[in-house]
Each structure stands twice: as C-alpha cells, then as structure tokens.
Amino acid sequence: MLNSGDLDKYKDKEISAMIIDAYNSSFTQLYNPLAQHFNHSFFWKCIKPNEGEEEREPTGRLHDAIVSQWGDVETFRNEFKNKAVNNFGSGWTWLVYNPSKPKTPLEVVNTGNADVPTIHEKIPLLTIDVWEHSYYVDYRNDRPKFVDEFW
C-alpha cells in the first residue's frame, strides 16, 4: 500500500521523470499506474474522430521522415499494423524516434502491459492501444479491423 511519504520525492517532477525513476527503483506500485496514465493520455492525442471517409495521413516532418525511411506511408502502415496485430497479449504498438540510430531513427515497436518507450530511451511519436478493452465491444474483438480503423 502506498502512503504519502512514499510519494514526497515525486511531488515536483514531470510525469516522464517520475516514470523513469519509479521504473529504475522498481517502485511498481507507482510505475504501473503512472505508465498507463502516460500511455493512455498519449493514445488519446493520437486519435480523433474521422471527419469523413478519407484516411488521415501524417503531415509535415513526420510524413517526410516516414517516407524517407519506409518509401511511402502505406508501407509504414503495413509494418505498424503487422506489429499491432501480432503484439502478443495486452500492450501498445508505437512509432518511436530512436536517437541511437541516426540513419534510420524511426522504429515500430511493441510494448507489453505498462511498458513505456521512454524507459528504453526512445521518444514516442504515435501509439495504438491493443489491450482488448480498446476494441472488444466496437470491433467484436477483431484487432486487425480496429487497427485498420485507426487511420
């Protein structure tokens, strides 16, 4: 059980710093809810209602980086979908920026449960929640269709 004394050192920290510190100190009672809060908050920023039948395309520098690395947006989407559909169990699929790979800095990665890319020194750019609660009602547990509708 957490008590207020356990949390005092975190009161002036940003959530990303709190997540990394809780992870590094194996403080799972704090890490798991913080990480899931971060993941879900990030996911909500990645989606919006479709304002028509057209698929949404990445724009600006993100579009240019995707095309530079994958050749076109469709190839990127196929890799993203494949990773998301095959992410075993519950978790997240992310497009991340990996500063340790300057020639091909974008990666599509899967994380499980409450894992967050920032603890692996990767910067999240886009995510999809592939926990069953995200799609089992509207998509009748059809994860591939849910991922297709993400765009």
Side-chain angles (χ1 to χ4, degrees), residues 106-147:
L106 299 181
E107 297 178 320
V108 178
V109 298
N110 286 334
T111 60
N113 300 318
D115 199 5
V116 179
T118 54
I119 63 172
H120 306 287
E121 299 179 0
K122 296 176 181 179
I123 300 165
L125 302 174
L126 178 75
T127 194
I128 187 169
D129 181 348
V130 291
W131 284 66
E132 289 80 6
H133 66 246
S134 295
Y135 56 88
Y136 75 89
V137 173
D138 292 340
Y139 295 94
R140 303 289 186 245
N141 220 22
D142 185 348
R143 188 185 284 187
K145 184 173 181 176
F146 170 68
V147 176

Side-chain angles (χ1 to χ4, degrees), residues 6-53:
D6 294 331
L7 304 176
D8 285 344
K9 74 177 190 173
Y10 295 101
K11 68 181 179 182
D12 295 322
K13 288 189 174 184
E14 295 287 326
I15 189 169
S16 294
M18 291 170 64
I19 289 169
I20 291 169
D21 188 68
Y23 176 81
N24 288 337
S25 60
S26 300
F27 191 179
T28 57
Q29 287 179 295
L30 183 60
Y31 170 76
N32 287 330
L34 281 174
Q36 287 295 41
H37 170 73
F38 175 88
N39 290 349
H40 282 92
S41 296
F42 198 91
F43 174 59
W44 297 130
K45 293 176 185 176
C46 293
I47 60 174
K48 70 175 188 173
N50 196 350
E51 299 169 357
E53 295 301 314

Side-chain angles (χ1 to χ4, degrees), residues 58 61-70 76 79 94-109 122-126:
R61 291 174 48 197
L62 179 58
H63 176 271
D64 295 346
I66 287 170
V67 170
S68 174
Q69 192 159 322
W70 278 276
F76 157 71
E79 180 176 338
W94 302 84
L95 172 64
V96 298
Y97 174 79
N98 184 347
S100 70
K101 295 174 62 180
K103 291 187 181 191
T104 55
L106 299 181
E107 297 178 320
V108 178
V109 298
K122 296 176 181 179
I123 300 165
L125 302 174
L126 178 75

